[in-house]
Amino acid sequence: MTPITPFDITPLRDVPRTIRRPEYVGRPAPKPYTGSDVQTSEIIEKMRVAGRIAADAMHEAGKAIAPGVTTDQLDAVAHQYMLDHGAYPSALGYRGFPKSVCTSVNEVVCHGIPDLRPLEDGDLVKIDVTAYKDGVHGDNCYTFFCGDVDEESRLLTERTQEALNRAIKAVRPGRPVSVIGRVIEAYAKRFGYGVIRDYTGHGVHTAFHSGLVILHYDEPRMDTLMQPGMTFTIEPMLTLGGHDTDVWDDDWTVITTDGSRVAQFEHSLVVTNDGAEILTLPSSPPPPM
C-alpha cells in the first residue's frame, strides 16, 4: 500500500452560535482540570447523551467510507450530525486542531487531520469522534474497513476491538488502573502486536482530557485505584509492527516509525459498583465487520 502523505485541508467548518462551545475554543489550550476523577450522577447522565451522539456521528461517518471518498467528506458527515443534535465537535479548535474529528488511515496512529486524500480500497480508517453537549464530552473511536481489507489487517482490527472489550471487563472498583494496560498488553503479545505507548486513555467528563492517565501497556506504578463514578476512556492502539511513533510537521498526525498499520477502538466509560458502563454506545449496534 502507498504510504500516507499530507493532502490539502479545507477551511474551518462553521458552528451556529446557538450551540454551546467548550471553554478552550479560541484559546491556545484548555484550562487545567483540578476537580475530582469521580463524577456526579448528573454529569454521568449528561455523558450518556453526549456519548450516544458521538457514537452515532462516528458510525454515520463510517457509512460514507468507500474508495474515492475523502476523509474531509467523513469529517463533514460527522460534523453535521453533531450540529443536528445540538452538540459541538470537541476536536474543532482544541489546541488549534482544524477539523471536527480525527481520521487516521493505515499507519497513522491517531490525530490524523481530515483532508482531501481519496481513500483507497483496503485502507484501515480510524474515526475518532468526541461530542460536547450540555457541558460534557463523550469520546470514542472505531476502525472501519474501506473496501476489501487484507486478512492481516482484518485480524488486527478484530483483535484490537477484543483487547478493548477485555480491558473494559477488567474494570472494577478497588483495582488499580494498571490492570487495564496489563490485560491489553498480555492479549496483544499473543499475536506479536505492538502496543502504542506514547498515546493513552484519559479522564473525560466536563474536561476533554483530565489529568487521569490510562496506559495500554503493563506499568505497575500506575496505582490509582478505580472508584465508582470515575469516568475515563480506554483506547488501545495495536500495530502490526513496533510501538515507536513519529509526528508530522503539522504537530498532530502521529505515524508508526516502521510504517506498520494500526487499529484503534475507544469507549468512554464510568466505573460502577461492580464493573463498568460504556457511555459511548450508539443508538443501534454497528453492523458486523
Side-chain angles (χ1 to χ4, degrees):
M1 300 295 291
T2 307
I4 303 298
T5 57
F7 275 66
D8 288 341
I9 297 170
T10 60
L12 294 177
R13 302 191 193 282
D14 291 331
V15 177
R17 297 305 307 176
T18 53
I19 292 179
R20 179 178 173 183
R21 287 150 166 73
E23 55 81 21
Y24 53 73
V25 175
R27 302 169 184 259
K31 296 176 182 176
Y33 179 74
T34 57
S36 173
D37 294 326
V38 174
Q39 304 304 309
T40 65
S41 57
E42 180 184 21
I43 292 293
I44 293 166
E45 177 55 33
K46 290 180 179 181
M47 288 184 68
R48 291 187 184 100
V49 175
R52 185 169 60 251
I53 293 171
D56 288 344
M58 180 181 70
H59 287 288
E60 197 65 26
K63 294 176 187 175
I65 291 173
V69 173
T70 68
T71 51
D72 184 75
Q73 288 172 277
L74 305 182
D75 182 77
V77 171
H79 177 92
Q80 192 59 50
Y81 188 95
M82 285 185 270
L83 298 193
D84 289 346
H85 291 79
Y88 184 91
S90 301
L92 186 61
Y94 179 77
R95 297 183 180 272
F97 191 80
K99 288 293 171 183
S100 297
V101 306
C102 297
T103 52
S104 303
V105 180
N106 297 341
E107 72 270 21
V108 179
V109 177
C110 58
H111 303 163
I113 300 173
D115 60 21
L116 295 179
R117 174 191 179 271
L119 293 172
E120 298 177 3
D121 186 63
D123 281 345
L124 286 186
V125 186
K126 301 171 287 289
I127 305 180
D128 189 331
V129 179
T130 309
Y132 180 76
K133 170 86 171 175
D134 207 8
V136 303
H137 302 268
D139 186 3
N140 65 168
C141 181
Y142 195 93
T143 300
F144 298 90
F145 298 156
C146 181
D148 294 322
V149 172
D150 65 84
E151 180 74 358
E152 190 177 41
S153 297
R154 184 184 65 79
L155 288 172
L156 172 70
T157 302
E158 291 176 357
R159 290 164 177 168
T160 303
Q161 188 171 37
E162 175 63 15
L164 172 59
N165 292 340
R166 289 178 179 226
I168 292 172
K169 290 175 183 175
V171 171
R172 290 286 188 283
R175 288 182 176 176
V177 295
S178 59
V179 72
I180 294 169
R182 188 175 313 131
V183 165
I184 291 169
E185 187 169 43
Y187 183 69
K189 278 185 173 180
R190 289 169 50 181
F191 310 102
Y193 296 151
V195 180
I196 295 295
R197 291 171 168 248
D198 295 335
Y199 300 89
T200 71
H202 53 87
V204 63
H205 31 73
T206 56
F208 192 174
H209 300 86
S210 78
L212 180 64
V213 173
I214 306 296
L215 300 183
H216 303 121
Y217 60 93
D218 190 7
E219 176 46 84
R221 289 175 294 180
M222 300 296 287
D223 57 0
T224 299
L225 298 181
M226 292 182 268
Q227 305 173 58
M230 285 177 69
T231 55
F232 51 82
T233 71
I234 304 176
E235 45 187 296
M237 294 152 263
L238 304 188
T239 82
L240 290 172
H243 61 70
D244 292 332
T245 61
D246 291 319
V247 181
W248 282 0
D249 291 342
D250 61 19
D251 292 329
W252 283 107
T253 306
V254 181
I255 60 169
T256 53
T257 303
D258 60 11
S260 61
R261 285 188 161 197
V262 183
Q264 181 188 15
F265 288 86
E266 173 187 16
H267 275 306
S268 299
L269 54 89
V270 58
V271 181
T272 63
N273 289 328
D274 57 0
E277 175 194 346
I278 297 172
L279 299 173
T280 41
L281 290 174
S283 297
S284 56
M289 289 182 181

